[in-house]
Amino acid sequence: MTTAVSVAARPQRRIPGESGIWVMITGDLLVFSLFFLTFAFEYRSTPEAFAAGQALLNRPLGLANTMLLLTSSLAVALGVKAVGERDSSKARRRFAVGVACGAGFVIVKAFEWGAKFGAGIFVGSSEFFTFYFMFTGIHLLHVIAGLAALLWARALARQPENPSSARMIESSALFWHLVDLLWVFLFAL
């Protein structure tokens, strides 16, 4: 025997965050997709030059940054979950972990860039390093904006019962996950 569930009795599904964040995420993904396509096109025309530039990168630092961002995204996701559970202190602690890992990313990137500058490698040193500094620099700006969003989310988590705060926290988390996703692609390049 089946019973019909009324439409009113079904839980309503909604897209997390504010609608504007999705417009921004879509725009960012389109812009970075164009960056990645341009990189692929240029790489294809001079693979040896790009391979030589990639050989000069510090893979352990890149891996460390990847682990920092993946860990931060996990902490942020758990923070959003804690907001949904109305556990303000747990949410704030988890957002603090996300911020700490994001700040660690910035510190590692500063050491990485400092080593490149110390070796005489700058933006115009080669076509590869022009792309490298441009892409990682734009990503670094996203990380800084994302850290500000996470600090804001942490402050908003004091009122997890406020639906407006919860949507803004979700929006901040979505932006942070975009930052993480973009890094995964950059690291692969």
Side-chain angles (χ1 to χ4, degrees), residues 10-33:
R10 288 186 205 153
Q12 290 196 353
R13 295 180 188 218
R14 67 173 188 81
I15 296 173
E18 298 289 335
S19 57
I21 193 67
W22 290 103
V23 172
M24 191 174 94
I25 287 171
T26 301
D28 252 12
L29 287 174
L30 288 172
V31 168
F32 269 89
S33 294

Side-chain angles (χ1 to χ4, degrees), residues 2 42 48 58 70 74 76-78 85 98 132 149 160 179:
T2 60
E42 294 299 324
E48 309 82 26
N58 187 322
L70 291 174
L74 174 61
V76 168
L78 293 173
E85 295 167 350
Y132 167 79
V179 168

Side-chain angles (χ1 to χ4, degrees), residues 83-145:
V83 167
E85 295 167 350
R86 310 264 196 263
D87 190 339
S88 176
S89 62
K90 186 186 290 184
R92 291 173 49 75
R93 284 192 310 272
R94 290 178 176 171
F95 288 131
V97 169
V99 168
C101 289
F105 177 95
V106 173
I107 292 167
V108 170
K109 186 55 64 185
F111 278 109
E112 186 179 5
W113 279 13
K116 294 289 171 273
F117 297 152
I121 299 171
F122 299 97
V123 174
S125 295
S126 71
E127 190 173 11
F128 172 80
F129 279 106
T130 298
F131 279 112
Y132 167 79
F133 284 113
M134 182 179 70
F135 290 170
T136 59
I138 292 170
H139 181 264
L140 187 59
L141 292 175
H142 279 72
V143 170
I144 292 166

